[in-house]
Amino acid sequence: MPKVTSKPTTIEHVDLDVLEDTLSFYIRTMNIAVSRDLDARLDGCEVARGTGKITTLLLVDSHPGIRPSVIAQIIMKDRSAMGRLIEQMIEHDLLRRQTSASERRAQELYVTPKGAELAAMIRPIVTKQSKDFFSFIAEEEQAQVMDILRRAYRKMVGMTGERD
Amino acid sequence: MPKVTSKPTTIEHVDLDVLEDTLSFYIRTMNIAVSRDLDARLDGCEVARGTGKITTLLLVDSHPGIRPSVIAQIIMKDRSAMGRLIEQMIEHDLLRRQTSASERRAQELYVTPKGAELAAMIRPIVTKQSKDFFSFIAEEEQAQVMDILRRAYRKMVGMTGERD
DNA sequence: GGCAAATAGTGGACAAATGCAACTATTTTT
DNA sequence: AAAAATAGTTGCATTTGTCCACTATTTGCC
């Protein structure tokens, strides 16, 4: 039974119905905002727009030889979307691809010099953007949210938490 | 300086570079997952796919006469995107539109009987989906995250926190 | 009163992203 | 040796978002 209010003409008189208490609503909405902001800061940077490019670049940079399918799992894309993303980044001369010697079905990804340079440039930007964007949340609370979401994420993608 | 690990073939040996500590990464990633899950549950429901339809329906239902532009602010879309969304929902006979008597530039939105019915059906689904999806996070922590994100969201869209 | 600026909504064009399903190549199972 | 699983590719249809220009109405100012 929704509480009914009439003809609100400004946002201040609106309540969000059940969405008010729905975590998914806030995740979905904050996503739009934070993504937009990030795109704005990375404007022209060859890795703007859409989730994935940044993660892919950083991941390949710090895990030379990593496979597309592994990245796909991490960013939750299907293989075809992943393939296109990589194709795009190869055309931009950020990545290089070679089929694995041991597993000739699979590929190994490497950054190009240009890719490495961009990764180095982007790393601090991404970190700063997140901090800045959420700056109206206290550091402590940011950490808290992140900690919780990190655990959720890890369970979801099946990371066990062990490092190598 | 990224820590370099070589050729990971499974997700368990991957660390996320700086993204590991980047709140925006988790928001963006969880968004993909939660949206997909929601779409799956609402399959066929006329309001699946993409942020906005659900929020719009619930909002119009609980605020009869609300304006498109107000909803646009809430879900962070531009007016043209909002217009198309509404158009679509009108075609599906979920909403009804009439120009405001006092402000002939503006419109007032109302749910149709079918829209009201759908809203009633959807409300519990949305709530449950969020709870279920995040069920591997303790209730308490869910509430904590939600509380923080809610405040962030409100600041962002310029809600002052007063209710009507 | 009348003109300029702001606000609400519409419409078109265009570039991307997404998801699905079919297809090849390689490896593993049985 | 055949069947099933895995990695990646390709094509297609759908959706989405964005940008920009355009109309209508209202408001503010001179």
Side-chain angles (χ1 to χ4, degrees):
Chain A
M1 224 18 86
K3 173 178 52 171
V4 170
T5 325
S6 57
K7 305 191 189 177
T9 55
T10 85
I11 199 171
E12 303 186 11
H13 306 119
V14 174
D15 90 308
L16 299 173
D17 201 296
V18 298
L19 300 176
E20 189 76 37
D21 299 304
T22 306
L23 182 48
S24 65
F25 172 78
Y26 294 109
I27 295 274
R28 282 156 63 94
T29 314
M30 293 300 282
N31 169 62
I32 297 176
V34 78
S35 296
R36 234 180 248 160
D37 182 71
L38 184 56
D39 282 347
R41 293 212 201 188
L42 262 44
D43 198 36
C45 250
E46 269 177 323
V47 282
R49 299 255 148 241
T51 335
K53 295 195 198 66
I54 296 168
T55 309
T56 301
L57 182 63
L58 294 185
L59 241 36
V60 175
D61 188 46
S62 51
H63 301 281
I66 194 173
R67 294 182 188 178
S69 55
V70 174
I71 304 181
Q73 271 187 277
I74 292 176
I75 59 180
M76 306 205 203
K77 298 216 174 203
D78 74 348
R79 293 198 310 277
S80 74
M82 192 68 232
R84 274 184 265 268
L85 211 148
I86 289 172
E87 200 59 48
Q88 206 181 333
M89 295 179 73
I90 289 177
E91 274 166 31
H92 284 311
D93 188 33
L94 298 173
L95 299 185
R96 180 167 64 78
R97 171 172 48 185
Q98 72 184 46
T99 61
S100 162
S102 49
E103 256 281 44
R104 303 228 318 282
R105 291 176 290 193
Q107 302 176 345
E108 298 174 351
L109 298 173
Y110 299 93
V111 289
T112 60
K114 182 178 168 195
E117 200 181 322
L118 185 57
M121 166 187 269
I122 279 190
R123 215 169 258 118
I125 296 180
V126 171
T127 306
K128 186 171 184 338
Q129 188 268 344
S130 181
K131 284 222 182 77
D132 286 358
F133 185 83
F134 292 106
S135 62
F136 42 70
I137 307 178
E139 279 271 2
E140 198 183 299
E141 293 185 314
Q142 264 187 64
Q144 223 175 336
V145 172
M146 185 151 53
D147 182 62
I148 294 171
L149 292 184
R150 184 188 296 123
R151 291 194 329 257
Y153 168 76
R154 288 185 158 267
K155 277 196 195 169
M156 188 165 318
V157 297
M159 284 184 172
T160 53
E162 318 140 19
R163 304 287 187 80
D164 41 299
Chain B
M1 227 14 87
K3 174 176 49 170
V4 170
T5 325
S6 56
K7 305 190 187 174
T9 55
T10 87
I11 198 171
E12 303 185 11
H13 306 119
V14 173
D15 90 308
L16 299 174
D17 200 297
V18 299
L19 300 175
E20 188 75 38
D21 299 304
T22 306
L23 181 49
S24 65
F25 171 78
Y26 295 107
I27 296 274
R28 282 155 63 95
T29 314
M30 293 300 281
N31 169 62
I32 297 176
V34 78
S35 297
R36 233 181 250 161
D37 183 71
L38 183 57
D39 283 346
R41 293 213 201 188
L42 262 45
D43 198 38
C45 249
E46 269 178 322
V47 282
R49 301 252 147 243
T51 335
K53 297 195 197 66
I54 297 168
T55 308
T56 301
L57 182 63
L58 295 185
L59 241 36
V60 175
D61 188 46
S62 51
H63 301 281
I66 194 172
R67 296 183 188 176
S69 55
V70 174
I71 304 181
Q73 271 186 277
I74 291 177
I75 59 180
M76 308 206 202
K77 297 214 177 207
D78 77 347
R79 293 198 311 277
S80 73
M82 192 68 230
R84 273 184 267 270
L85 208 141
I86 289 172
E87 200 59 47
Q88 205 181 334
M89 295 179 73
I90 289 177
E91 275 165 29
H92 285 310
D93 187 34
L94 299 173
L95 299 184
R96 182 166 61 78
R97 171 173 47 186
Q98 72 184 45
T99 60
S100 163
S102 50
E103 256 280 46
R104 303 226 320 282
R105 291 175 292 189
Q107 303 176 345
E108 298 174 352
L109 299 172
Y110 299 94
V111 289
T112 61
K114 183 177 167 196
E117 200 181 320
L118 185 56
M121 167 187 270
I122 278 190
R123 214 169 258 117
I125 296 181
V126 171
T127 306
K128 185 170 184 335
Q129 188 267 343
S130 182
K131 282 220 183 77
D132 286 358
F133 185 83
F134 293 105
S135 62
F136 42 71
I137 306 178
E139 278 273 2
E140 198 184 299
E141 293 185 315
Q142 265 187 65
Q144 223 175 339
V145 173
M146 186 152 50
D147 181 63
I148 294 170
L149 292 184
R150 183 188 296 121
R151 293 197 325 259
Y153 168 77
R154 287 184 160 270
K155 278 197 193 167
M156 187 166 318
V157 298
M159 284 183 171
T160 53
E162 318 139 18
R163 303 287 188 80
D164 39 300

